[in-house]
Amino acid sequence: MQRDIIDRLSRLDHLIRIKGTGTPAQLAERLNLSERSIYDYINFMKGLGCPIKFDSYRESYFYEEEGFFVIAFFSKNKLKPLLENYNMELNE
């Protein structure tokens, strides 16, 4: 069950990044979900800070700024170099 959710979020992120989601109804069909579930996933991602918008001309969701959605565990040792690349600090 949890793996399905993560897989759906990963696929949704990919489709958003390539601006290939289609309309909410098309996306629901593509991901084998209800349209209501699509809105729930989009709102969940927005709640976590994803800058998701819908382009009615292209009929696709997109990220307002370049990036990607990640669900992962990072140890401090692995996270520190990543944050340094973005000039951020790890509060230890």
Side-chain angles (χ1 to χ4, degrees), residues 41-74:
Y41 276 100
I42 295 291
N43 287 330
F44 173 76
M45 293 172 74
K46 284 181 176 181
L48 293 175
C50 294
I52 300 171
K53 297 290 182 185
F54 186 78
D55 182 336
S56 56
Y57 179 74
R58 292 188 71 165
E59 293 190 332
S60 182
Y61 286 100
F62 67 98
Y63 289 126
E64 273 192 306
E65 58 186 84
E66 200 170 313
F68 53 92
F69 185 75
V70 176
I71 297 177
F73 173 81
F74 293 97

Side-chain angles (χ1 to χ4, degrees), residues 74-82 90 92:
F74 293 97
S75 68
K76 284 186 178 182
N77 292 336
K78 290 183 181 179
L79 186 58
K80 199 169 189 170
L82 179 65
L90 181 65
E92 298 186 48

Side-chain angles (χ1 to χ4, degrees), residues 78-91:
K78 290 183 181 179
L79 186 58
K80 199 169 189 170
L82 179 65
L83 293 176
E84 287 171 355
N85 287 337
Y86 289 98
N87 296 320
M88 299 172 72
E89 292 184 23
L90 181 65
N91 296 328

